Amino acid sequence: MIGLAVLSVIALAEPNPITSIDQSQPRLNQAAPVPRGATTLTQTFVSRHNGLSSVELLAVVYPDAPATSALTVQLLDAQGRLIAAADFDRIQHNAPLRLRFAPQPASAGQTYSLRLSGAPDSAITVWAYSLDGYSRGELRFGDSDIPGDLRFTTNYTYLWPDMLADAWKSVFELARWSVVLWLILFAPGWLLLGLLRSESWRLDIWTRWGLALALSLALLPLAWQWLTVVGGRWTGQTLGVTVGVIGVVVVLLTLARRRNRPPGKRLLSAHDLGLLAVLMVGLLARFLAARDLAFPAWVDSPHHALIMRVLEAQGRMPQVYDPVMPGAPFTYHFGYHVVALAFYWLSDLALPESMLMLGNVLNGLMPLAVYGFVAALTGRPRAGLFAAWFVAFVSLFPAYYLTWGRYTQLTGLLILAPLLAVVWELVRVGPHPSVTASPWTLVGLIAVLASGLVLTHYRILIFFAIFSLVALAAGRAGGWRWLGAAAWLTLTFSAPWLWQLSEPWLLPAVNSPALLASPEGYNDFPWAYFNSQLERGWLIAAGLFAVWGLTVRNRLVWGVVGWVAVTFALLNLGPGSWLVNNNSWAITLFLPGAFLLGWGLDALWSGGERWAGAGPGRLRRALGVVMLLTLAVFLGVVSALGLRAQVAVINPQTVLADADDRAALEWVAQNVPSEAIFANNAWAWQLGTWAGSDGGAWLWPWLNYRSTTPPLDYIYDPQLASRVVTFNQQLSKIVDANAPEALDLFREAGVTHVFIGARGGPLKPEIFVGSPDYRLLYSNGAAWVFAFEPDQ
């Protein structure tokens, strides 16, 4: 009954439709001709998606426009039938003109005409671009084709049939790569769990899956490190054979254990089915959110791709970025990257697709890791189920990591969540439903997971260290001895990497702590992340549950709240540190939040069940039933609203490259010599660092073409960083590509080609087209490639 209530509320909640950008022609440099009387202005375009539901233009209002002037905008289909129309009057200059209409269910691939008309004395038009900025459509004035295109953006509504079709495609992709994903993400962990004889720690099967995932993510970078120490080198073949053998051993051991078990068939319980549903729906929501991405998003993603290329080229733990980016010392944690490279090697996907695929899977597995964290910590599987539901359906994070390409922190948290439970088990006090595992088993698990965290994410490692100290303060006497042993083993397992970091990072920080001081503004708390009702709501709920737990003196709640409080206090001592800041902690708060919500919701549900199942007392039973139904309705409404937010989580401002950029880059790979050096667009990102601002950011990490703005790793080479910053500072001031200073700038940088992506930047197509110093090689309207030929 309760489950039906939840499903009914989800169906009836009807959250707002999901709308996204269908396509855009964002460039403008001139006003379009003014449509007057019978002379209309028409732009044709081809919709990319089903559900086309709005078009936006940008108004141009001349100073002499009559006060009564109006502009009529009509949308017609390929047969000339009117779909929508609107009259815009009293228009302000540069005001957006939005034409909204009912979603067109079969609009994908269909040609539409956007027709503008005005009165005979009208002085209103819209912005346009003088070049062919949109190759799939034409611009007409009256009966004549004219050069260029309007500046416009179309949007589509994500309709249920398309959502279900995309979900089915995602299921097919997951099934296609399920064996490879299991070999990389789970098999090594399952093997180690068997070797450590962890059965003495009575964990449910789902918690063990989460622990196996964390161990696998930790073991692969450790294996990469130690093979380097003994002089070996990884290749796709050696890695495939290794994980293949591990997979076969795990399968054989599993079959042997099952033969030795008493006969009996284990059926899935309601709890199992509930968790499976949460995991599958949450995972599909991640794939649906990434449906329109041609590349992983934001400036982090090219940086991660570059490190994968370095690892691929060297096959060992790098000391420098050679040969991919010669000269820069290598100090970046590489745990995620060896996992991503393993999947890239063992799949037939291109690098961008493999990163997106694995990133979605890792993000979708975060609820499993959180389930294990909360269920093992509390000994209450239903608390873990509520925590997993919160991460899969409600919290902005980690889903929003997709729009940043924040795959390294995501991987670190997948290791951290089970690790916290293991640490608490090692030092815990008080009664507990589980049977305590052997201390040495727990020490071994902690050492592997923590050393993997050393190689995967430094900031998450610091959060782990703070939790360990809080757990020691709350734990039984003598717990520090066992945790100390785990710390020594961790240092031993990760010693080669720590030694490599000691010269550039650790020793300077010890000798001069001021080097770690945060630049001004870098440690500000990002309140904007918590502006939505869902985010504020769960923070308030977690705070109320925290007060409740503190009041009843629950040791677990005291420990988790203490972790949050101590972390905040340390982060805000003095100016803070650039190594770890409030931003990195804010986007990790969902982890302690999941514990508090899981613990609190489980306590409320248990109370409702006790009242509803009480003996005498109809009022008490009725109150219990009302309490359970109220919670069910609450879960249903929040699930519907949360899932909508999960699917719509992509911020279009962080998408640097699209399908048009992909086509241009593939053309470059086939037609431009490998020794070419590209000038690419960039913008001043943060702390004096310049980053690629459009599809050109992928020239270096994906295609291995040198460019004037490499991925962010260039900051580790002071000479290269100086050249990149100086070049972009000068480039940002250039408005004429034929000016002597522009030609000299390109010559000094060794530029042979220019790449301009769909999103653009200071390099604009119109300053190159028609120039004797540049030759147009390729354009699809959005992306452009020029050869730099100043001497011809």
Side-chain angles (χ1 to χ4, degrees):
M1 182 181 67
I2 300 298
L4 288 175
V6 173
L7 294 175
S8 300
V9 172
I10 290 176
L12 295 173
E14 293 187 2
N16 293 330
I18 297 170
T19 59
S20 300
I21 294 176
D22 176 59
Q23 56 192 321
S24 178
Q25 197 299 98
R27 295 188 172 101
L28 57 89
N29 61 358
Q30 66 180 19
V34 177
R36 294 189 178 104
T39 306
T40 59
L41 182 68
T42 304
Q43 172 74 57
T44 61
F45 65 89
V46 179
S47 178
R48 288 185 185 271
H49 301 84
N50 292 327
L52 181 71
S53 55
S54 70
V55 182
E56 181 183 295
L57 303 165
L58 197 61
V60 174
V61 181
Y62 287 97
D64 58 348
T68 57
S69 292
L71 188 68
T72 298
V73 181
Q74 298 175 312
L75 182 69
L76 301 96
D77 64 15
Q79 287 73 41
R81 293 173 297 202
L82 182 66
I83 294 173
D87 295 323
F88 297 93
D89 55 7
R90 298 176 183 175
I91 305 170
Q92 298 294 319
H93 184 57
N94 284 333
L97 308 178
R98 297 185 183 93
L99 178 63
R100 296 184 176 92
F101 42 90
Q104 305 299 296
S107 54
Q110 299 297 314
T111 300
Y112 294 87
S113 297
L114 196 61
R115 187 165 65 194
L116 286 70
S117 59
D121 61 345
S122 176
I124 300 176
T125 184
V126 293
W127 283 107
Y129 188 51
S130 59
L131 301 178
D132 185 13
Y134 180 73
S135 61
R136 291 179 289 277
E138 298 175 346
L139 182 60
R140 292 195 299 271
F141 186 58
D143 296 327
S144 303
D145 291 342
I146 60 175
D149 291 286
L150 299 185
R151 180 268 185 205
F152 71 92
T153 300
T154 63
N155 292 279
Y156 74 99
T157 298
Y158 200 22
L159 302 175
W160 279 106
D162 299 295
M163 196 178 300
L164 293 174
D166 289 344
W168 173 247
K169 291 177 185 176
S170 300
V171 171
F172 177 79
E173 281 298 301
L174 284 169
R176 180 186 177 198
W177 299 114
S178 58
V179 174
V180 171
L181 290 168
W182 179 79
L183 287 172
I184 297 170
L185 300 180
F186 292 102
W190 278 115
L191 181 60
L192 185 61
L193 282 175
L195 295 175
L196 290 176
R197 299 184 179 277
S198 62
E199 294 84 356
S200 59
W201 187 13
R202 300 285 177 82
L203 301 173
D204 72 354
I205 186 63
W206 300 108
T207 301
R208 295 179 71 80
W209 272 97
L211 188 54
L213 170 64
L215 288 168
S216 298
L217 293 174
L219 285 169
L220 192 51
L222 285 170
W224 202 280
Q225 170 196 252
W226 283 104
L227 187 64
T228 301
V229 171
V230 300
R233 183 178 183 274
W234 288 102
T235 64
Q237 291 76 18
T238 56
L239 188 136
V241 169
T242 300
V243 297
V245 169
I246 290 173
V248 170
V249 171
V250 170
V251 169
L252 293 176
L253 290 176
T254 302
L255 293 175
R257 290 194 188 99
R258 289 189 175 181
R259 282 198 298 268
N260 294 330
R261 288 178 184 170
K265 186 177 180 180
R266 183 179 184 274
L267 298 176
L268 291 175
S269 65
H271 171 81
D272 296 331
L273 293 173
L275 183 58
L276 274 172
V278 166
L279 293 175
M280 182 54 67
V281 174
L283 182 58
L284 290 178
R286 269 49 169 184
F287 276 86
L288 296 182
R291 65 192 180 277
D292 290 335
L293 291 181
F295 291 89
W298 207 222
V299 299
D300 292 39
S301 296
H303 148 67
H304 297 321
L306 185 83
I307 293 177
M308 290 172 63
R309 286 299 195 195
V310 173
L311 292 166
E312 181 181 35
Q314 297 191 21
R316 51 194 292 120
M317 185 176 74
Q319 292 184 328
V320 291
Y321 278 81
D322 294 355
V324 179
M325 195 169 69
F330 190 92
T331 59
Y332 198 81
H333 39 238
F334 60 93
Y336 155 75
H337 306 89
V338 296
V339 175
L341 181 59
F343 180 67
Y344 172 60
W345 273 344
L346 299 184
S347 71
D348 63 359
L349 298 173
L351 183 66
E353 281 86 359
S354 69
M355 291 178 66
L356 282 170
M357 176 76 179
L358 181 66
N360 289 335
V361 170
L362 293 177
N363 210 319
L365 289 173
M366 194 70 226
L368 175 65
V370 168
Y371 171 88
F373 162 52
V374 176
L377 210 62
T378 62
R380 293 152 64 179
R382 189 166 55 199
L385 177 58
F386 281 126
W389 163 82
F390 162 72
V391 173
F393 284 54
V394 182
S395 177
L396 176 65
F397 301 105
Y400 198 74
Y401 286 7
L402 171 64
T403 204
W404 283 331
R406 204 109 185 206
Y407 301 125
T408 50
Q409 183 154 347
L410 177 65
T411 308
L413 288 170
L414 286 167
I415 298 172
L416 176 68
L419 175 57
L420 299 180
V422 181
V423 168
W424 188 268
E425 180 70 12
L426 185 63
V427 301
R428 69 177 175 82
V429 295
H432 195 281
S434 69
V435 177
T436 303
S438 162
W440 283 112
T441 296
L442 298 175
V443 166
L445 290 173
I446 292 171
V448 172
L449 292 172
S451 54
L453 203 52
V454 171
L455 302 175
T456 301
H457 207 279
Y458 306 137
R459 289 173 172 173
I460 303 303
L461 178 68
I462 292 172
F463 298 152
F464 162 67
I466 297 172
F467 179 88
S468 299
L469 294 175
V470 172
L472 280 175
R476 65 173 180 264
W480 64 270
R481 294 187 179 92
W482 292 110
L483 205 53
W488 277 111
L489 275 178
T490 299
L491 292 173
T492 301
F493 289 168
S494 55
W497 180 244
L498 291 174
W499 177 259
Q500 183 167 317
L501 294 181
S502 62
E503 182 176 357
W505 273 39
L506 302 181
L507 293 180
V510 170
N511 295 330
S512 180
L515 293 175
L516 296 177
S518 171
E520 184 178 356
Y522 190 67
N523 198 40
D524 294 345
F525 190 83
W527 296 105
Y529 296 160
F530 303 97
N531 281 341
S532 73
Q533 291 182 344
L534 281 176
E535 290 303 296
R536 291 179 178 179
W538 81 252
L539 279 175
I540 292 171
L544 293 174
F545 287 141
V547 172
W548 181 17
L550 294 175
T551 302
V552 300
R553 298 182 180 180
N554 183 287
R555 285 302 272 269
L556 288 170
V557 175
W558 274 90
V560 172
V561 172
W563 179 37
V564 174
V566 172
T567 303
F568 267 123
L570 293 176
L571 287 175
N572 292 283
L573 286 176
S577 169
W578 62 264
L579 182 59
V580 59
N581 60 0
N582 277 309
N583 185 83
S584 58
W585 181 231
I587 64 176
T588 307
L589 281 176
F590 74 89
L591 191 55
F595 167 81
L596 293 169
L597 289 166
W599 175 86
L601 288 172
D602 178 62
L604 287 177
W605 196 278
S606 298
E609 285 182 329
R610 286 195 300 271
W611 283 25
R618 292 183 179 179
L619 179 60
R620 187 182 180 94
R621 289 199 301 273
L623 288 174
V625 171
V626 170
M627 184 175 177
L628 291 176
L629 287 175
T630 301
L631 278 173
V633 170
F634 164 78
L635 293 174
V637 171
V638 173
S639 295
L641 297 175
L643 278 175
R644 184 215 177 275
Q646 300 291 315
V647 176
V649 78
I650 287 291
N651 180 354
Q653 297 301 315
T654 66
V655 178
L656 302 183
D658 63 13
D660 289 322
D661 292 299
R662 179 65 177 264
L665 289 167
E666 290 175 344
W667 184 92
V668 167
Q670 295 295 323
N671 295 277
V672 177
S674 60
E675 63 272 14
I677 298 177
F678 281 84
N680 64 309
N681 275 310
W683 64 298
W685 179 48
Q686 64 178 15
L687 303 180
T689 301
W690 289 77
S693 62
D694 63 16
W698 285 92
L699 283 162
W700 201 316
W702 184 32
L703 304 181
N704 204 30
Y705 286 98
R706 300 298 185 262
S707 62
T708 51
T709 306
L712 298 175
D713 308 73
Y714 74 83
I715 64 174
Y716 302 124
D717 181 349
Q719 294 182 348
L720 179 57
S722 177
R723 293 198 301 270
V724 170
V725 171
T726 301
F727 178 90
N728 282 293
Q729 287 175 340
Q730 295 177 14
L731 182 66
S732 64
K733 302 173 184 177
I734 290 176
V735 295
D736 181 2
N738 301 297
E741 57 270 22
L743 300 178
D744 290 342
L745 180 65
F746 283 1
R747 284 194 189 99
E748 291 172 6
V751 169
T752 62
H753 293 75
V754 177
F755 186 97
I756 302 173
R759 181 162 173 168
L763 299 173
K764 304 181 187 302
E766 59 267 28
I767 68 175
F768 298 99
V769 171
S771 167
D773 299 311
Y774 306 89
R775 179 165 54 93
L776 178 62
L777 300 178
Y778 173 90
S779 174
N780 56 26
W784 302 68
V785 180
F786 297 88
F788 177 49
E789 299 173 344
D791 298 329
Q792 298 180 28

